[in-house]
């Protein structure tokens, strides 16, 4: 039996490919109410597995190549045409990972930011230099510049203690006789 060294479950690690895939399914169902696409599954196998210290250039180039199929005629999520292949990449990297930093290990966040940088530099210009996308990236990455994992953990503990103290105060009020 493994001991849980992370009782608050902040910045949890994922140690196997199977666990990485399970995490991907949970993230996408909770974020988009659907399962992962093939593109998202391919990227997540390396991104979420903390046994892999970095994404290879081959993996990052593969992710960047998805931006060149921007207007793919086959929608990989439901079989209809017209959905952006690059959008699947942004859903995973921005919405499922960087918008939810406490649900991922620091290594997964680092790999995600490195992947994002690589895709922006090596991806298709018309996709990667889109003003709306760049604004979206700035809004997501901005708070990460100030992310302090120790501070997040401390704030959560204080919040838990405050909630427990207010619950105790409420239960004590109910037991007092009013006169």
């Amino acid at each position: 039996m493994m001991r849980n060294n992370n009782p608050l479950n902040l910045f949890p690690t994922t140690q196997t490919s199977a666990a990485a895939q399970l995490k991907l399914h949970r993230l996408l169902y909770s974020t988009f109410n659907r399962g992962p696409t093939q593109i998202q599954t391919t990227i997540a196998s390396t991104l979420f597995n903390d046994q892999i210290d970095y994404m290879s250039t081959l993996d990052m180039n593969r992710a960047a190549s998805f931006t060149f199929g921007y207007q793919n005629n086959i929608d990989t999520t439901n079989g209809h045409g017209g959905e952006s292949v690059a959008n699947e990449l942004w859903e995973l990297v921005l919405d499922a990972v960087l918008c939810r930093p406490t649900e991922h290990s620091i290594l997964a966040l680092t790999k995600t930011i490195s992947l994002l940088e690589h895709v922006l530099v090596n991806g298709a210009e018309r996709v990667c230099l889109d003003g709306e996308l760049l604004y979206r990236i700035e809004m997501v990455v901005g708070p990460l510049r100030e992310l302090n994992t120790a501070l997040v953990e401390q704030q959560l503990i204080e919040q838990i203690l405050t909630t427990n103290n207010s619950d105790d105060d409420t239960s004590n009020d109910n037991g007092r006789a009013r006169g």
Side-chain angles (χ1 to χ4, degrees), residues 19 33 36 47 60 80 98-99 114 120 127-128 134 145-146:
N33 200 27
L47 202 62
M60 290 197 290
H80 299 106
L98 295 180
C99 280
S114 296
L120 289 174
V127 174
C128 296
L134 293 175
R145 291 186 183 118
E146 304 296 322

Side-chain angles (χ1 to χ4, degrees), residues 168-179:
D168 291 343
D169 292 344
T170 305
S171 64
N172 288 340
D173 288 343
N174 291 338
R176 291 185 189 157
R178 303 201 188 258

Side-chain angles (χ1 to χ4, degrees), residues 6 9-13 101-106 109 147 149 152-153:
N6 187 2
N9 204 27
L10 289 174
F11 310 104
T13 60
T102 60
E103 296 181 26
H104 307 284
S105 69
I106 300 304
L109 292 172
L147 181 66
T149 57
V152 168
E153 192 169 317

Side-chain angles (χ1 to χ4, degrees), residues 35-101:
T37 65
Q38 184 60 40
I39 290 170
Q40 292 166 334
T41 302
T42 301
I43 296 169
S45 63
T46 307
L47 202 62
F48 293 147
N49 189 343
D50 288 330
Q51 294 294 319
I52 301 170
D53 291 334
Y54 59 90
M55 290 187 77
S56 69
T57 305
L58 176 66
D59 289 335
M60 290 197 290
N61 283 339
R62 183 180 301 135
S65 73
F66 295 142
T67 63
F68 289 96
Y70 185 67
Q71 292 300 325
N72 190 0
N73 290 330
I74 300 171
D75 178 351
T76 57
T77 58
N78 61 18
H80 299 106
E83 182 173 305
S84 163
V85 173
N87 198 39
E88 295 175 22
L89 175 67
W90 306 133
E91 283 179 355
L92 176 65
V93 170
L94 298 176
D95 300 330
V97 179
L98 295 180
C99 280
R100 304 165 87 166

